[in-house]
Amino acid sequence: VAGAAQYQCIADDPSLEGRDMRIAAGKHPNVDKKGMVWRQSSVLKVWKECHIVVTKDSLMYWYTSPSDAYPEEVIALKKATGVRRQEGGPRPHSFILSGKGVVYPFAANSEEDMEAWLRTIGKGIVRATTTEWDETSDRLAEQQAQGEERAEEGAQGDQ
């Protein structure tokens, strides 16, 4: 079992020192998004499926499976420099989370899922790097998503 000090987020953000990051995959109280994605390993460059949890406190945990007791890694999105799609990437629906001197390649299982991950991780980066996060932004995004769903339902009803 990895100790809390071994996670990259502790090295990147000393304010997290002393916080136990060893949270079971299904036990996060403040989840923004969770699900399965593909991640490319940094050494062997092989792709393997993993379970990702992005929390509202701008931490990104990844696990081997949704039933894991401890994360394989925890990234503080506060130290990320961006997230973007990877056009012509090695896998369909590829995206990259980058930080100073490090790149984490991921791939979603669909275009829609990739877009959702890009929005969620991007929002986590902004939330972490903004001194005062305005929860109004979350409410507006939720209202917009609900409006889009209603519009799609209306369009389907017209057919």
Side-chain angles (χ1 to χ4, degrees):
V1 174
Q6 293 177 323
Y7 292 121
Q8 186 62 43
C9 68
I10 302 295
D12 287 345
D13 188 354
S15 71
L16 296 172
E17 188 79 39
R19 183 170 164 184
D20 190 0
M21 298 293 164
R22 297 170 297 167
I23 301 170
K27 300 291 184 185
H28 290 276
N30 60 350
V31 174
D32 220 359
K33 181 170 175 53
K34 63 183 175 179
M36 299 300 285
V37 298
W38 293 88
R39 181 181 72 83
Q40 188 179 39
S41 66
S42 58
V43 178
L44 298 177
K45 304 294 184 202
V46 295
W47 288 89
K48 59 182 182 176
E49 200 168 24
C50 65
H51 181 74
I52 300 288
V53 177
V54 177
T55 61
K56 292 184 187 294
D57 57 351
S58 298
L59 294 172
M60 183 171 161
Y61 297 76
W62 70 70
Y63 300 84
T64 303
S65 81
S67 60
D68 283 355
Y70 300 104
E72 193 175 315
E73 184 60 88
V74 184
I75 303 298
L77 294 177
K78 179 180 191 175
K79 295 298 178 176
T81 57
V83 62
R84 63 175 174 81
R85 70 176 58 240
Q86 185 180 17
E87 300 294 343
R91 290 186 70 94
H93 323 299
S94 294
F95 61 99
I96 293 174
L97 173 65
S98 54
K100 291 184 180 177
V102 65
V103 173
Y104 301 100
F106 293 97
N109 290 313
S110 70
E111 184 73 19
E112 296 79 24
D113 198 32
M114 179 190 67
E115 292 293 337
W117 282 112
L118 290 170
R119 277 192 307 274
T120 301
I121 295 168
K123 183 170 76 173
I125 293 169
V126 170
R127 182 185 289 137
T129 56
T130 304
T131 53
E132 291 184 30
W133 176 256
D134 181 359
E135 292 301 322
T136 303
S137 300
D138 282 341
R139 288 193 298 276
L140 290 173
E142 288 170 10
Q143 290 171 355
Q144 182 181 7
Q146 289 171 353
E148 289 171 0
E149 288 172 11
R150 285 190 207 107
E152 287 176 12
E153 289 171 3
Q156 291 172 355
D158 293 342
Q159 295 176 359

